[in-house]
């Protein structure tokens, strides 16, 4: 059985060592990096199954590392950061992270979150692929096999979560999805007061689809209920 490899990227050596110690006890193989460029190099040269990233790293911050990772990879990413504001957390999730923990942190909670993300990732990779067809809606083309979106022929760059939300809504036109339902289907875990996470992803998705000028063209809010796709 393949040994799971986890990247820990943090410029605070003591924190990287502490996280590594607890994850090694779980049987994981650990790769450590102390700046953003080294973290990205590790991702590009080794088979990494999950990344734990700090945000404030020298050379290249965690946001930029995540953006570059998401250009080619879909492994789970957990931010572990001293940046504690709600906006920082939202930015991290919108950039493509799957989870966000703030320092100081409980190492056992981090281990639990790592285990949870890896279980879901493993289940996804082992599941029988569901045939998903290309969707075309009013100049919008969503191609699931290529994980690409174009609007009137121009590419729209989406994070994996944004893509999954859009495909979920577009493949069920006129059906209204609550924030809870979207979270459980896209994130694959129980809803835990994560309405803001869904709302922020919807807001960013709308902006990327140019809906600042044409409100609710594709994604419509049903106040007090949820979201639906305009067919």
């Amino acid at each position: 059985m393949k040994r799971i490899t986890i990247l820990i990227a943090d410029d605070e050596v003591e924190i990287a060592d502490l996280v590594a110690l607890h994850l090694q006890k779980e049987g994981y193989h650990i790769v450590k990096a102390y700046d953003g460029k080294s973290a990205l190099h590790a991702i590009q040269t080794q088979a990494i199954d999950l990344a734990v990233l700090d945000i404030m790293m020298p050379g290249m911050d965690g946001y930029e590392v995540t953006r570059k990772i998401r250009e080619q990879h879909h492994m789970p990413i957990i931010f572990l950061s001293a940046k504690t504001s709600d906006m920082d957390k939202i930015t991290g999730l919108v950039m493509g992270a799957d989870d966000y923990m703030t320092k100081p942190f409980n190492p056992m909670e981090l281990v639990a979150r790592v285990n949870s993300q890896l279980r879901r990732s493993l289940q996804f990779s082992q599941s029988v692929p569901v045939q998903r067809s290309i969707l075309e809606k009013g100049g919008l083309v969503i191609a699931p096999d290529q994980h690409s979106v174009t609007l009137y022929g121009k590419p729209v760059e989406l994070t994996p979560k944004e893509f999954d939300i859009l495909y979920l809504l577009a493949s069920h036109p006129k059906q209204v999805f609550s924030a809870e339902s979207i979270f459980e289907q896209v994130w694959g875990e129980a809803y835990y007061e994560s309405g803001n996470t869904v709302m922020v992803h919807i807001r960013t998705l709308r902006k990327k689809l140019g809906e600042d000028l044409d409100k609710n063209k594709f994604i419509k809010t049903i106040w007090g209920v949820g979201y639906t796709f305009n067919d």
Side-chain angles (χ1 to χ4, degrees):
M1 184 175 179
K2 175 182 176 292
R3 193 177 185 190
I4 292 174
T5 298
I6 296 176
L7 169 68
I8 302 168
D10 198 309
D11 61 339
E12 296 183 73
V13 176
E14 297 82 1
I15 289 181
D17 288 346
L18 176 65
V19 174
L21 177 64
H22 282 83
L23 291 176
Q24 284 169 336
K25 288 180 180 178
E26 294 288 304
Y28 298 126
H29 175 243
I30 302 300
V31 174
K32 288 185 281 188
Y34 304 108
D35 60 73
K37 290 184 179 179
S38 298
L40 190 60
H41 179 73
I43 292 285
Q44 293 170 337
T45 58
Q46 302 183 57
I48 303 296
D49 298 289
L50 180 145
V52 178
L53 304 180
D54 185 23
I55 292 177
M56 296 181 290
M57 293 187 290
M60 181 185 297
D61 67 22
Y63 293 144
E64 182 65 9
V65 173
T66 297
R67 188 185 68 78
K68 289 184 176 295
I69 289 173
R70 286 296 180 238
E71 291 175 355
Q72 296 182 323
H73 304 284
H74 296 285
M75 87 276 287
I77 296 174
I78 299 176
F79 274 133
L80 181 62
S81 175
K83 297 172 75 69
T84 61
S85 75
D86 288 342
M87 198 62 237
D88 291 324
K89 297 175 186 178
I90 289 168
T91 300
L93 294 171
V94 168
M95 289 295 292
D98 298 277
D99 203 350
Y100 192 112
M101 285 188 69
T102 57
K103 302 174 183 177
F105 63 99
N106 182 328
M108 296 312 298
E109 181 183 354
L110 176 60
V111 169
R113 294 195 186 201
V114 166
N115 290 338
S116 175
Q117 290 293 336
L118 286 170
R119 276 197 305 271
R120 187 162 68 254
S121 178
L122 184 62
Q123 288 170 358
F124 178 79
S125 64
Q126 292 181 341
S127 61
V128 177
V130 177
Q131 187 65 35
R132 300 200 298 178
S133 58
I134 294 176
L135 302 177
E136 298 185 33
K137 311 281 184 178
L140 184 68
V141 179
I142 310 169
D145 288 345
Q146 291 76 32
H147 226 263
S148 67
V149 175
T150 59
L151 183 59
Y152 300 115
K154 296 183 178 180
V156 180
E157 298 298 330
L158 301 182
T159 67
K161 291 292 190 294
E162 289 165 356
F163 181 91
D164 289 344
I165 291 172
L166 180 61
Y167 193 88
L168 173 66
L169 296 177
S171 60
H172 299 83
K174 302 300 183 184
Q175 181 176 336
V176 180
F177 290 87
S178 65
E180 177 179 357
S181 176
I182 292 172
F183 187 86
E184 290 178 348
Q185 293 191 56
V186 171
W187 274 261
E189 60 187 53
Y191 180 84
Y192 50 92
E193 298 182 357
S194 299
N196 283 342
T197 299
V198 173
M199 180 183 68
V200 170
H201 278 75
I202 292 284
R203 182 191 307 154
T204 308
L205 185 53
R206 280 175 164 159
K207 185 174 182 180
K208 291 181 178 181
L209 294 175
E211 297 203 354
D212 290 347
L213 301 177
D214 192 356
K215 191 175 182 181
N216 291 336
K217 178 178 179 181
F218 294 113
I219 301 172
K220 183 177 181 181
T221 299
I222 308 298
W223 295 107
V225 182
Y227 305 94
T228 188
F229 191 88
N230 272 332
D231 194 10

